[in-house]
Amino acid sequence: MSLDVQNLVVAYRTLRGDVRAVDDVSFSVADGEIMGLAGESGCGKSTLGNSLVRLDRTMRCLGGRALLDGTELPLSDWDAMDDFRFKKVSLVPQYSMSALNPTRRIGKMISEVVRSRKIRYKDVLPELERRLRLVGLPTDVLAKYPIELSGGMKQRVVMVLTTLLDPSLLVADEVTSALDVSTQRAVGGMLVELRDMGIVTSTIVITHDLSVLVQVADSVVVMYAGKLVERAPTATVVDAPRHPYTKLLIASLPEVGVRYAEHVLAGIPGHPPSLLDPPKGCRFADRCPLASAECAVEPPLVELESGHFVACWKAS
Amino acid sequence: MLNLENLSKSFRGGSFGSGAVPAVRQVSFSIAPGEVTSLIGESGSGKSTIGKMILRLLPVSSGRITFDGVDVASLEGSALKEYYRKVQGVFQDPFSSFNPVFRADRIFRMLEREYFGDLGAREWSAKLHTSLEAVGLNPADVLGKFAHELSGGQLQRLLVARALLLDIEILVADEVISMLDASTRVDVLNLLAGLKERGLGVLFITHDLSLGHYISEHTVILRRGVVLEIGETAKVFGNPQHSYTKMLLASVPRLHSHWEPLEPGEPARTGPRDAPRGRGRRARGQPLEPVPLLVEVEPGHLVAFEDGGTATAGDER
Amino acid sequence: MSKDTTTTKDDTAAPTEEGNTAPRHELVYFALRNRKLVIGLSIVGLLGLAAIVAPFSARSNPDAFVGPPMQPPSSSYLLGTTYFGQDVYSQLVNGLRQSFLVGIMGGGIAFVVATAVGFTAGYRGGAVDEVLNMLTNVLLVIPTLALLIIVGGYLKGTSIVFEAMFVGATAWPWAARAIRAQTLSLVSRDFVGLARLSGVRSWRIVVGEVAPNMSSYLFLTFILLFGNAILISASYDFLGFGPPGGVSLGSMMNLAFAWNALQLHIWWWFVPPGVAIMGIVGGLYVTNVGLDEVFNPKLRSL
Amino acid sequence: MRRYFARKLLTYFLTFFVAVTLDWGIPRLMPGDPIAGLLSKFQLQPSSYAVLHSSYTRAFNLGEPLWRQYLDFWRALLHGSLGTSIYAYPDPVTTVIRHAVVFTLALLLPATVLSYLAGNKVGAIAARRKLLDDTVLPFSYVLTATPYQWLALLLAFVLASVAHVFPISGGFSYSLVPTLSWAFLWSLLTHWFLPFVTLFLVGFGGWAIGMRNLIIYELDADYAHFLESLGAPRRLVRKYAYKNARLPQLTGLALSLGTIVGGAVVTEIVFNYPGIGWLVLQAINSEDFFLLQGIFLFIIVGVLLANFVVDVVYVLVDPRTRIGLQEGTR
């Protein structure tokens, strides 16, 4: 049991009150597991992932906890979290293209970061160079400035850096979405390799693109409006989803091979509720074709079969 | 009928226009009424530049665009306005398409002022409602609101409705659904596909092969401003000939199948665009590779000639 | 603008019904809560009020010799008298009036030039941009005060209008550059393209679509130009190029210096005009920062 | 980089050209007979008026066609001649200016550089530190809004006129003959101090505010957040933010050179400090227009040189301009 998140609540503070972007979410990620975190924009997936490493100053953790290898992560304590960051938990941010200091040579920046964590750069340099070569980068990128690299190269440098100290947990936030398909594939492959080689113990891959998760993830958590609605092995989510939202979402995705002329796909009418004042019961109810009176009560997350959790009254 | 003939575009690099960076090179294809043509390319391929040139938002460097036989570059003043009556566009970022200071209706107001000045208020309102309903919007839901109060899907529909107010024959749709949520994007896609049933020609610009395959009759594959493969969508996707097209198809993540394991030495790892970059570098460094010749490998399917091996006709499978 | 800045993550809540009218309320809320804005505006407002009511509150014609010379501040001469026996208080409130006039006119002219140049360069681009940009950069390097020296040397006395025009002609380049940069970034937005696709003419796009999106920025620019104009005219008058006869804050300091107020310890002659300038300009700067914080949420919380 | 400098130099040459043209043109563009305007300020006998008028006309070349006058002006300028000073007759203008420039540079260089460095440091430290921010910031706003001449008057009044800690006027004590003695150097230093402090303080405020605001922006940049997610200590994040914020500050320095020079002019006047600014006042008082025109050109050239120095420093500090340069030259 590597990562165990229990009843986590994370909120943004706004003038009009707290916006609970993550509302009472529980799940766990096993050693060696790559878990996908999927959902549409605004569902809280990115907030959830980021809060495990770097809780933004505008956010607050209002409840719940996260255990990593049995130790509770001090999510709300910025300074205490520093002991875990980089060494135990690491984040590949959404903004990898601009994550590197533009006015520092990459090697210099890495050496300064490493040294600031009381590690000798000399000790990690051979491993750093080995891993750069591993992901197909020449070691002379260390002597370059970020603007000299392409987007895909920057993405890989950031991934090598964040995983340099073999973290127990890696959170990869939309790492493939800004990339071309060919680079996307390389980066996706990298996530799997990092796990296969035992560099990263557990991985959370956050993306809005389910088809990327099919390629890399062992299991998938689907979020909707701050809630976890379904969690299952990847193949189950794609082929036999039980939550109406997941079902409709997957049915709406065009894929190479599907043509309008032959088969017209359908989207989901309506849009997600406001998280400032979310509806009492099931949050998907007003868009759900199956909704009925019982949906006015919030459905619990139930394990329908081993490893397949669904939060829906209609699923069982 | 909109024709692109040897269309090229170079951007000025550096000060005083010294050094030109080619973005589009000798591109030719046409957009026929009643069809969707997909223009597929990765970032930096010049696909959006082509769309902007068609819409006269960027000047053409060489070659020409003709609409019903008339060179679009020659249009000025009222003639250009008449062109815009027939040819319209929708862009990628729905929020950027709306002026945040004003209500979303402003996009209609501008058209009313410029094109329908002689229309009575009631007629205009009826026309607007018809158009909104044609894109599946309830006028009461969307009129009088600011863009940030509406969803991305609603906004893109508003923009399509705006184009439909005019007598358009060609619609340039530039990555219109890439910023929309998965659950609503297919509806906008279907809306565009439905336009061809009204006899419109649609240029669907995208980086996403699955979307192009889903919606279009014709496909153009573009890389670094050069057309590499062009033809009927079924043929390009069913029988891809150019190594780049094949690589794209192999790399696109699918819902029901896994990536094939990478063969050793396959370029996907380093990626095709992994050359260190810098604006204007290619232009002043090594000479440009010549624009390859397009060879017809089967009726309605042209492929760029490659050095590594000549494209062969026939089904490989 | 507000969209980009208020939501940095993709994961913020979707727009809400309650959110519809919020941004404007939020602005007012932050404006009233912003100490810098409130303090800055109060200072400028009070001094502005003093300038407006000057003709009524002044005890005398500022140039009139009302009493014994070199009187320290007292109940009969609120801020004392000059070397010649003029009432410093009357001079001060009239000087304030002059300063505000120069600020508004000079800042206004510079603002008009800056917006014209900035919008044209940013929207038209190409060769027009190159030429205007070069012109801006050239004028940016020429120090205003140096230019003033040769202009002032050859002029027989000036007027407020002349000073305003001089400031207007020389102070605009940095503002034009800033406005050009803003325009460039806005012009690349799709709504400008859409306006062109709607057949809207260029000037109408600039005035109707682009400018409203940077209204807060334009306002801030004007405030800074306003302050600059006051400082420049104070230097101008201090060098003795000021309008003859009239009293300005700069010429008060000039006369005080020229008539040995330092050696004679007539501090009440030169301290008030300096405090007044500092009040207006400092007040404007602080207002500027306060407004910036209100408009730009990134700067708000800390 | 070559292109970067080529463009900059082009701007500077254009500026110089425009400045010389203005310098030549303004006296001629002024309404009415410029010489009559000049002379009307003197109380002159009609006979001496006529003599002066004709000599000025000759000196200004006013008899020649305009294009001729313009070319002659350039020719004289390129031969290093700016005419003869009236105030210090018969010294040439260049000599008079050269004597004053030493004093101005001794004042301007340290005041500009030190206020820039100190302002940046203090502003950086104050950013995001509540207590410091609340004290340094208001103080800085007061300073930056202060007219130079007023701060100069205030310091002269309090520290010289009242407290007699510093001398009130001049570049050195007139009882001393300029020699390399300790007494003379001390005299130079004490006379230099107050004008220096004036320029330093006003400049300091602006730099502190600028740096403080830039740091706040930088600390919110993506690279700063990324460093935080790697558990980098605040010290490192701030160091990076500071280094990056220096770049726009340097641009700001180039932009404010004109203002700084203007400040030096009025400050020197208050302290009777025998630099360029003080010379301006003497030239104005003695109607020495050749001297004024010469000073104008000197200031322009000085500001252009300073701009160039800032450009060079910028390239040294920002690696990206260097890379751009390599690309350009390859």
Side-chain angles (χ1 to χ4, degrees):
Chain A
M1 176 86 25
S2 179
L3 176 74
D4 193 14
V5 173
Q6 299 166 356
N7 308 99
L8 192 65
V9 182
V10 181
Y12 283 93
R13 301 159 76 175
T14 72
L15 273 185
R16 281 154 283 149
D18 286 337
V19 173
R20 293 173 164 230
V22 176
D23 200 350
D24 196 13
V25 169
S26 306
F27 62 88
S28 57
V29 190
D31 283 348
E33 182 179 353
I34 297 182
M35 189 196 88
L37 193 50
E40 302 179 64
S41 64
C43 72
K45 60 184 187 303
S46 197
T47 307
L48 171 55
N50 278 278
S51 68
L52 294 175
V53 181
R54 181 188 172 279
L55 194 68
D56 198 275
R57 289 185 179 83
T58 56
M59 295 191 270
R60 270 194 305 177
C61 181
L62 293 183
R65 54 187 199 150
L67 302 172
L68 184 69
D69 300 328
T71 317
E72 183 172 348
L73 292 173
L75 299 181
S76 303
D77 186 338
W78 184 275
D79 292 327
M81 261 312 274
D82 270 347
D83 296 337
F84 291 87
R85 293 185 183 123
F86 199 14
K87 294 177 176 168
K88 290 281 174 199
V89 295
S90 225
L91 171 76
V92 185
Q94 219 172 62
Y95 49 81
S96 284
M97 302 303 139
S98 53
L100 300 168
N101 185 354
T103 61
R104 267 277 192 274
R105 287 183 202 279
I106 287 165
K108 175 103 172 135
M109 184 221 138
I110 295 179
S111 79
E112 286 176 331
V113 172
V114 166
R115 243 183 268 129
S116 79
R117 300 306 312 271
K118 308 271 186 295
I119 297 166
R120 293 220 316 224
Y121 183 54
K122 243 189 344 197
D123 295 347
V124 294
L125 185 59
E127 184 63 15
L128 173 64
E129 290 180 339
R130 191 180 76 83
R131 290 192 186 173
L132 285 174
R133 281 192 294 266
L134 206 66
V135 300
L137 290 172
T139 49
D140 68 2
V141 293
L142 293 178
K144 295 201 160 141
Y145 289 101
I147 50 157
E148 297 178 84
L149 306 188
S150 71
M153 290 167 94
K154 273 187 258 188
Q155 179 71 267
R156 275 175 279 163
V157 167
V158 168
M159 284 175 72
V160 166
L161 171 57
T162 47
T163 56
L164 187 62
L165 304 183
D166 299 356
S168 303
L169 173 68
L170 179 70
V171 179
D173 189 3
E174 296 280 9
V175 286
T176 58
S177 32
L179 303 174
D180 288 332
V181 283
S182 46
T183 328
Q184 211 173 54
R185 183 177 181 185
V187 169
M190 222 178 123
L191 286 171
V192 177
E193 275 175 49
L194 285 170
R195 186 265 317 264
D196 290 350
M197 289 188 293
I199 292 172
V200 174
T201 316
S202 310
T203 311
I204 296 178
V205 180
I206 302 165
T207 178
H208 66 278
D209 192 343
L210 268 171
S211 51
V212 167
L213 292 183
V214 171
Q215 313 304 319
V216 301
D218 304 312
S219 62
V220 172
V221 160
V222 181
M223 285 185 73
Y224 182 81
K227 291 281 183 187
L228 194 163
V229 295
E230 185 155 11
R231 165 159 177 44
T234 309
T236 313
V237 167
V238 174
D239 298 325
R242 298 290 288 273
H243 196 282
Y245 172 66
T246 321
K247 282 183 188 171
L248 290 170
L249 187 65
I250 287 183
S252 77
L253 298 176
E255 221 194 336
V256 174
V258 180
R259 306 208 56 188
Y260 175 79
E262 294 148 11
H263 172 62
V264 177
L265 301 170
I268 310 175
H271 34 84
S274 155
L275 293 184
L276 196 62
D277 184 22
K280 286 276 177 300
C282 174
R283 294 186 177 179
F284 187 60
D286 66 335
R287 297 171 81 184
C288 182
L290 306 178
S292 65
E294 59 184 328
C295 299
V297 177
E298 188 178 331
L301 191 67
V302 180
E303 185 163 16
L304 292 182
E305 46 200 91
S306 172
H308 192 169
F309 300 83
V310 180
C312 176
W313 296 117
K314 306 290 178 183
S316 36
Chain B
M1 187 83 157
L2 193 99
N3 277 307
L4 280 60
E5 299 165 20
N6 282 319
L7 189 66
S8 297
K9 173 73 188 172
S10 299
F11 287 104
R12 299 186 312 151
S15 47
F16 305 113
S18 50
V21 186
V24 173
R25 297 165 65 201
Q26 296 175 38
V27 168
S28 304
F29 64 89
S30 52
I31 304 164
E35 283 186 0
V36 177
T37 304
S38 289
L39 183 55
I40 299 177
E42 299 189 291
S43 59
S45 63
K47 55 188 190 299
S48 288
T49 306
I50 292 177
K52 289 207 168 78
M53 285 193 283
I54 293 174
L55 293 172
R56 274 285 305 260
L57 296 176
L58 279 176
V60 170
S61 295
S62 73
R64 55 186 210 143
I65 302 170
T66 59
F67 181 63
D68 291 341
V70 179
D71 188 348
V72 170
S74 68
L75 302 174
E76 284 307 328
S78 59
L80 182 61
K81 216 161 158 176
E82 283 311 299
Y83 177 66
Y84 284 147
R85 198 189 279 280
K86 305 265 175 63
V87 179
Q88 277 294 334
V90 181
F91 306 115
Q92 173 173 16
D93 181 354
F95 290 97
S96 167
S97 296
F98 288 82
N99 197 331
V101 178
F102 303 107
R103 289 174 203 282
D105 317 28
R106 188 169 179 88
I107 58 163
F108 301 124
R109 283 281 162 71
M110 287 193 283
L111 280 191
E112 183 189 9
R113 197 176 60 206
E114 299 292 335
Y115 286 93
F116 303 101
D118 50 351
L119 221 56
R122 186 174 298 170
E123 292 162 273
W124 166 254
S125 161
K127 190 174 169 63
L128 183 57
H129 282 228
T130 314
S131 187
L132 287 174
E133 275 149 20
V135 298
L137 286 174
N138 178 3
D141 288 347
V142 292
L143 291 180
K145 299 251 171 96
F146 283 95
H148 65 86
E149 299 167 60
L150 300 168
S151 72
Q154 285 174 313
L155 293 176
Q156 293 298 50
R157 284 160 186 274
L158 279 174
L159 291 167
V160 176
R162 168 191 167 278
L164 291 180
L165 282 169
L166 299 161
D167 316 311
I168 58 165
E169 295 171 13
I170 304 283
L171 183 71
V172 176
D174 186 358
E175 293 273 15
V176 287
I177 66 166
S178 65
M179 293 184 66
L180 303 184
D181 268 332
S183 66
T184 53
R185 65 200 315 197
V186 72
D187 293 327
V188 175
L189 204 58
N190 288 338
L191 172 64
L192 289 176
L195 292 179
K196 63 190 172 193
E197 280 144 31
R198 295 166 149 243
L200 263 67
V202 178
L203 179 66
F204 184 71
I205 299 172
T206 184
H207 69 280
D208 190 329
L209 289 99
S210 54
L211 303 181
H213 192 215
Y214 177 72
I215 185 176
S216 65
E217 276 70 39
H218 281 90
T219 294
V220 181
I221 306 278
L222 199 68
R223 184 186 61 176
R224 294 187 199 153
V226 173
V227 173
L228 294 183
E229 192 151 0
I230 180 169
E232 292 166 27
T233 299
K235 290 176 178 164
V236 172
F237 277 81
N239 182 19
Q241 291 293 317
H242 198 281
S243 60
Y244 179 68
T245 316
K246 289 179 191 167
M247 188 277 293
L248 282 182
L249 274 168
S251 301
V252 65
R254 300 177 192 226
L255 213 43
H256 297 286
S257 65
H258 282 264
W259 280 323
E260 309 264 315
L262 290 168
E263 290 165 29
E266 204 174 335
R269 156 131 299 168
T270 31
R273 295 211 324 121
D274 270 2
R277 66 168 192 211
R279 216 168 265 277
R281 177 181 293 251
R282 204 187 325 127
R284 18 189 67 245
Q286 62 269 37
L288 275 173
E289 47 194 275
V291 177
L293 232 66
L294 288 173
V295 183
E296 186 158 31
V297 290
E298 60 185 308
H301 185 183
L302 285 79
V303 180
F305 182 81
E306 282 183 281
D307 271 346
T310 319
T312 49
D315 200 340
E316 286 183 336
R317 269 171 258 173
Chain C
M1 215 168 200
S2 65
K3 165 94 181 97
D4 300 358
T5 43
T6 46
T7 62
T8 45
K9 294 263 156 30
D10 85 316
D11 258 26
T12 38
T16 62
E17 288 305 309
E18 304 91 304
N20 295 354
T21 50
R24 274 173 208 183
H25 288 303
E26 246 174 58
L27 280 189
V28 175
Y29 174 86
F30 279 111
L32 291 176
R33 222 188 55 155
N34 191 299
R35 242 179 31 208
K36 295 188 189 107
L37 183 59
V38 172
I39 292 176
L41 270 183
S42 319
I43 295 174
V44 178
L46 279 177
L47 289 171
L49 197 68
I52 290 170
V53 302
F56 314 106
S57 77
R59 309 233 164 149
S60 65
N61 179 330
D63 288 330
F65 306 102
V66 292
M70 298 195 282
Q71 289 301 301
S74 65
S75 56
S76 45
Y77 305 104
L78 221 53
L79 290 175
T81 61
T82 70
Y83 181 80
F84 310 104
Q86 296 144 319
D87 183 34
V88 173
Y89 173 78
S90 306
Q91 294 199 333
L92 181 75
V93 287
N94 274 289
L96 266 176
R97 194 182 171 79
Q98 306 254 17
S99 282
F100 269 97
L101 277 176
V102 169
I104 288 170
M105 284 198 295
I109 295 171
F111 181 75
V112 169
V113 178
T115 44
V117 171
F119 278 136
T120 311
Y123 186 77
R124 294 291 297 276
V128 175
D129 183 28
E130 288 283 359
V131 170
L132 287 178
N133 205 15
M134 196 46 101
L135 176 74
T136 308
N137 285 337
V138 165
L139 288 179
L140 205 53
V141 180
I142 296 181
T144 313
L145 200 86
L147 201 61
L148 187 155
I149 289 166
I150 52 168
V151 174
Y154 282 95
L155 279 180
K156 282 173 290 179
T158 56
S159 62
I160 287 194
V161 176
F162 173 80
E163 277 190 18
M165 277 164 53
F166 179 81
V167 170
T170 54
W172 59 266
W174 71 265
R177 217 161 91 147
I179 291 170
R180 169 183 174 270
Q182 286 278 317
T183 309
L184 271 179
S185 79
L186 279 171
V187 162
S188 68
R189 299 257 216 115
D190 290 336
F191 66 80
V192 172
L194 211 65
R196 288 169 68 182
L197 292 187
S198 303
V200 181
R201 277 180 299 276
S202 296
W203 67 268
R204 220 171 170 152
I205 294 179
V206 170
V207 176
E209 306 295 320
V210 177
N213 272 287
M214 44 197 278
S215 50
S216 67
Y217 191 81
L218 291 175
F219 186 59
L220 297 181
T221 306
F222 174 71
I223 286 183
L224 290 180
L225 285 172
F226 185 12
N228 282 359
I230 290 176
L231 279 180
I232 296 173
S233 85
S235 298
Y236 198 101
D237 295 347
F238 181 72
L239 287 175
F241 296 142
V247 172
S248 74
L249 298 177
S251 63
M252 281 175 79
M253 285 190 270
N254 175 38
L255 287 172
F257 173 68
W259 295 95
N260 295 326
L262 283 179
Q263 287 80 357
L264 298 170
H265 293 198
I266 322 178
W267 56 267
W268 54 88
W269 195 358
F270 61 82
V271 169
V275 172
I277 293 177
M278 215 171 70
I280 304 175
V281 178
L284 286 172
Y285 284 176
V286 173
T287 305
N288 176 57
V289 180
L291 280 175
D292 202 16
E293 287 176 359
V294 170
F295 292 136
N296 185 350
K298 255 192 176 178
L299 294 172
R300 255 179 218 160
S301 51
L302 287 148
Chain D
M1 188 147 86
R2 188 176 291 176
R3 176 180 296 192
Y4 170 80
F5 277 114
R7 192 182 170 79
K8 289 283 184 188
L9 285 177
L10 177 66
T11 310
Y12 297 156
F13 276 113
L14 259 175
T15 308
F16 184 68
F17 176 79
V18 169
V20 170
T21 307
L22 282 174
D23 202 26
W24 169 84
I26 285 178
R28 290 161 175 84
L29 284 176
M30 288 296 147
D33 177 359
I35 295 173
L38 277 182
L39 297 181
S40 70
K41 297 188 183 176
F42 298 93
Q43 312 278 307
L44 287 170
Q45 305 282 329
S47 58
S48 47
Y49 180 93
V51 172
L52 273 176
H53 195 283
S54 70
S55 75
Y56 266 113
T57 306
R58 241 179 300 119
F60 276 95
N61 264 341
L62 286 184
E64 308 268 354
L66 274 181
W67 63 270
R68 189 71 199 243
Q69 294 178 29
Y70 186 59
L71 287 184
D72 285 348
F73 189 80
W74 268 103
R75 192 172 307 139
L77 185 70
L78 295 178
H79 282 98
S81 164
L82 293 169
T84 306
S85 165
I86 295 167
Y87 154 73
Y89 192 84
D91 286 350
V93 164
T94 39
T95 315
V96 180
I97 293 177
R98 203 173 333 120
H99 288 306
V101 155
V102 183
F103 281 96
T104 298
L105 284 183
L107 201 56
L108 261 182
L109 279 182
T112 308
V113 172
L114 291 179
S115 70
Y116 180 77
L117 295 178
N120 277 338
K121 272 275 179 272
V122 172
I125 295 171
R128 287 253 172 104
R129 291 202 170 95
K130 191 102 184 66
L131 201 70
L132 260 177
D133 208 23
D134 283 350
T135 49
V136 170
L137 207 60
F139 178 64
S140 301
Y141 274 112
V142 169
L143 284 181
T144 196
T146 307
Y148 285 93
Q149 64 269 31
W150 185 68
L151 185 60
L153 285 169
L154 210 61
L155 289 174
F157 177 69
V158 175
L159 292 178
S161 186
V162 174
H164 297 291
V165 183
F166 290 97
I168 195 167
S169 119
F172 48 87
S173 171
Y174 290 115
S175 59
L176 292 172
V177 181
T179 50
L180 258 181
S181 65
W182 287 116
F184 181 70
L185 287 179
W186 176 250
S187 172
L188 275 182
L189 195 68
T190 49
H191 283 83
W192 168 87
F193 188 73
L194 284 185
F196 163 79
V197 169
T198 306
L199 293 178
F200 176 86
L201 282 178
V202 177
F204 171 87
W207 300 127
I209 294 166
M211 181 49 98
R212 178 250 181 206
N213 291 343
L214 284 168
I215 291 266
I216 287 179
Y217 267 107
E218 291 290 333
L219 287 179
D220 208 27
D222 283 345
Y223 71 83
H225 287 174
F226 182 56
L227 281 177
E228 287 171 354
S229 77
L230 292 173
R234 250 156 262 206
R235 194 168 21 82
L236 185 65
V237 182
R238 292 188 79 99
K239 179 177 147 192
Y240 278 16
Y242 177 69
K243 298 225 159 178
N244 290 346
R246 284 184 318 183
L247 302 174
Q249 282 287 82
L250 265 177
T251 311
L253 178 61
L255 287 181
S256 51
L257 285 172
T259 313
I260 296 173
V261 170
V265 168
V266 292
T267 304
E268 284 180 6
I269 288 175
V270 170
F271 289 103
N272 280 315
Y273 194 76
I276 292 283
W278 174 80
L279 209 54
V280 166
L281 193 67
Q282 309 314 311
I284 292 171
N285 287 342
S286 48
E287 307 279 337
D288 188 347
F289 293 97
F290 285 119
L291 189 53
L292 277 183
Q293 281 177 284
I295 291 173
F296 173 74
L297 281 185
F298 241 83
I299 292 179
I300 298 282
V301 171
V303 170
L304 286 178
L305 283 176
N307 259 292
F308 186 72
V309 171
V310 174
D311 288 340
V312 171
V313 173
Y314 195 96
V315 169
L316 292 179
V317 179
D318 187 356
R320 288 168 295 184
T321 50
R322 286 204 296 277
I323 293 163
L325 175 140
Q326 279 164 12
E327 260 173 36
T329 50
R330 192 146 48 116

